[in-house]
Amino acid sequence: MKRKILVCFGTRPEAIKMCSLVHHLKISNFEIKVCVTAQHREMLDQVLDFFEVIPDFDLNIMKPNQTLNELCGRIFSKFDIVLDEFKPDIVLVHGDTSTSSICALASFHRGVKVAHVEAGLRTYNKFSPFPEELNRQITGRIADFHFAPTITSENNLLSENVSKESITVTGNTVIDSLLWTVEKLKSGYTNDKINDIKSFVDFSKKIILVTGHRRENFGEGFLNICKSLSHIANHNDVEIVFPVHLNPNVQEPVMRLLSEHKNIHLIDPLDYPSFVWIMSKSYLIITDSGGVQEEAPSLGKPVLVMRDTTERPEAVDAGTVKLVGTDFEKITNATNELLSDDLAYQNMAKQHNPYGDGNANNRILEFLNQKL
Ligand code: UD1
Ligand code: UDP
């Protein structure tokens, strides 16, 4: 009988990082089913469409402006039914979302093994990122197998007494997805969104791409971010492109404070290939995203990270990513420096990626073949 693997995810970034793995696993000897919690709805569906993954179970739990406890409660009760029906031998979860920690805990309650993709990243500050740092630690405590993207993340797990035999260093699956998408774009892939962006963004100017969504930045953090972007927009040789996350706590301040600027383009969240395309056209990226910090170094794009801590220190150490927090002065000064100082720009624009080589999916499959 084939061993049964249930792959679970619910948000946009998890989907980007898990869909290429799903395709990989489907050509193995395991029976693979996909369960999406749909903690995100539209932003998840964009990714499922692009990667042509059709979930076997869709819990459809997203509600507008959901609180963490409502969200976790809905995942717990609905995911339990899937575990009961499919009876997997092992559940694969990803990263640091509520979907990952709750699906891991629910699996543990039913005696089902858990494998954690993107394991071992740490800030050791439970409020930053919030609630992700603790979500990832909880999933790490529960997991039987750990797919650590880097040596640093493996070392974090070893220092917590996780056994070496249960860990394997794989690289991050986001690079597998990114490289596949870059190749697709190189071979001529385009879509309506890309053509639409070409019609209103002036690409003869320097493109600054912005994203933001972290809960710890809601309120004052986002007000500072908007103030900095308004200031940066005074440079008449830049175009700011900002696909605005659908979280109402992001939408409200961004739309209120930035919609009047001629060279700030506030747009809907982009489908993945359009986002990769605009990253590749950008001069600089300003973000609080985890995934974007991992992708941008492959494209040789400097990243200013609007956070005080990062569980992804490798690119900071390599000099291609800089932490600027949500401080008005720091964001504005770091951006001005990169716009005016060519040497400072070239130092950050090195094409070097510590997060993976595009073979993470292979390594995960190999390890599962050995262990199951
Ligand atoms: C979630 C994850 C975070 C991850 C981020 C990626 C948790 C606690 N948070 O944060 O770790 O970095 O996703 O983007 O797991 N919404 C929509 N449509 C969508 C998606 C979101 O309308 O497709 C709105 C809804 O009002 C929803 C709200 O955004 O209630 C918040 O979604 P939620 O998943 O709770 O939090 P995120 O900030 O997206
Ligand atoms: N992304 C996307 N469309 C967008 C913005 C981001 O497809 O409009 C992709 C991006 O390439 C990366 C991921 O979404 O792979 C990051 O998601 P997000 O910032 O929401 O979450 P995080 O990575 O911080 O958990």
Side-chain angles (χ1 to χ4, degrees):
M1 236 188 24
K2 284 188 173 183
R3 308 302 297 269
K4 295 200 272 185
I5 300 183
L6 183 61
V7 185
C8 301
F9 50 91
T11 63
R12 167 175 68 191
E14 292 168 280
I16 291 168
K17 292 168 169 181
M18 292 291 251
C19 280
S20 60
L21 178 61
V22 166
H23 283 300
H24 221 77
L25 295 175
K26 286 221 161 158
I27 49 170
S28 70
N29 279 327
F30 299 111
E31 181 182 351
I32 307 296
K33 287 206 191 282
V34 174
C35 173
V36 296
T37 60
Q39 170 178 341
H40 283 173
R41 188 67 276 172
E42 302 89 326
M43 287 160 54
L44 171 76
D45 291 344
Q46 282 181 323
V47 184
L48 294 173
D49 285 351
F50 175 63
F51 285 98
E52 298 180 10
V53 168
I54 299 168
D56 302 281
F57 305 97
D58 187 333
L59 309 186
N60 198 25
I61 52 124
M62 194 196 84
K63 297 269 190 286
N65 211 3
Q66 57 207 1
T67 67
L68 293 173
N69 287 337
E70 287 165 0
L71 168 67
C72 293
R74 285 194 293 274
I75 298 172
F76 246 134
S77 56
K78 290 201 166 185
F79 185 59
D80 196 41
I81 299 167
V82 176
L83 288 173
D84 193 35
E85 187 180 323
F86 182 50
K87 299 193 173 32
D89 294 295
I90 187 160
V91 164
L92 255 62
V93 295
H94 184 280
D96 60 6
T97 63
S98 296
T99 288
S100 75
S101 56
I102 300 303
C103 290
L105 189 53
S107 305
F108 168 69
H109 287 162
R110 281 200 176 253
V112 177
K113 281 197 163 48
V114 173
H116 189 194
V117 182
E118 202 187 73
L121 285 69
R122 296 286 186 270
T123 63
Y124 293 110
N125 174 346
K126 69 178 176 185
F127 298 110
S128 179
F130 172 85
E132 289 83 5
E133 172 65 14
L134 222 52
N135 279 342
R136 203 188 295 267
Q137 290 195 28
I138 289 166
T139 306
R141 297 303 302 171
I142 295 167
D144 300 277
F145 303 123
H146 309 259
F147 300 115
T150 65
I151 303 275
T152 308
S153 42
E154 180 186 42
N155 284 338
N156 289 335
L157 292 167
L158 292 173
S159 74
E160 295 168 17
N161 295 326
V162 174
S163 76
K164 192 160 173 72
E165 305 72 62
S166 68
I167 310 170
T168 184
V169 178
T170 58
N172 199 308
T173 58
V174 77
I175 306 300
D176 299 39
S177 299
L178 176 72
L179 297 183
W180 185 77
T181 306
V182 166
E183 279 312 307
K184 215 169 149 86
L185 287 163
K186 275 191 192 151
S187 65
Y189 172 92
T190 190
N191 63 30
D192 290 349
K193 189 38 92 178
I194 293 176
N195 293 328
D196 182 37
I197 293 174
K198 283 181 185 163
S199 73
F200 62 80
V201 174
D202 180 352
F203 283 93
S204 68
K205 299 191 173 171
K206 289 177 175 161
I207 308 299
I208 300 182
L209 178 63
V210 181
T211 77
H213 69 83
R214 303 238 75 97
R215 274 180 159 78
E216 64 272 21
N217 290 345
F218 290 170
E220 203 188 331
F222 267 94
L223 297 181
N224 288 341
I225 291 168
C226 291
K227 199 169 143 203
S228 297
L229 294 174
S230 297
H231 199 81
I232 294 163
N234 289 328
H235 289 271
N236 53 20
D237 61 338
V238 307
E239 289 269 88
I240 297 177
V241 179
F242 188 166
V244 188
H245 193 288
L246 294 179
N247 194 318
N249 300 289
V250 180
Q251 290 270 327
E252 192 283 320
V254 169
M255 294 301 177
R256 177 164 51 84
L257 297 169
L258 298 179
S259 46
E260 297 302 316
H261 294 265
K262 228 171 60 254
N263 58 343
I264 301 185
H265 304 281
L266 303 179
I267 57 177
D268 288 337
L270 289 172
D271 58 274
Y272 187 57
S274 304
F275 191 76
V276 172
W277 173 80
I278 190 86
M279 272 199 290
S280 73
K281 299 286 173 209
S282 298
Y283 178 80
L284 156 70
I285 301 173
I286 306 179
T287 187
D288 63 17
S289 163
V292 176
Q293 284 179 65
E294 292 158 342
E295 292 162 335
S298 277
L299 303 169
K301 304 298 173 183
V303 182
L304 299 177
V305 176
M306 298 182 291
R307 294 177 48 185
D308 298 321
T309 58
T310 181
E311 62 286 10
R312 297 170 168 88
E314 295 86 349
V316 178
D317 294 343
T320 60
V321 163
K322 192 184 270 180
L323 294 184
V324 291
T326 53
D327 181 88
F328 168 79
E329 301 280 339
K330 281 194 192 160
I331 300 174
T332 320
N333 293 344
T335 305
N336 287 343
E337 186 187 26
L338 289 171
L339 288 171
S340 60
D341 180 341
D342 198 46
L343 188 63
Y345 183 83
Q346 292 309 334
N347 278 336
M348 281 190 82
K350 288 173 288 198
Q351 204 165 341
H352 159 76
N353 202 318
Y355 298 109
D357 60 2
N359 288 310
N361 291 328
N362 275 333
R363 297 190 186 102
I364 290 172
L365 178 57
E366 234 171 67
F367 188 85
L368 288 171
N369 273 329
Q370 272 172 32
K371 297 285 173 182
L372 298 183

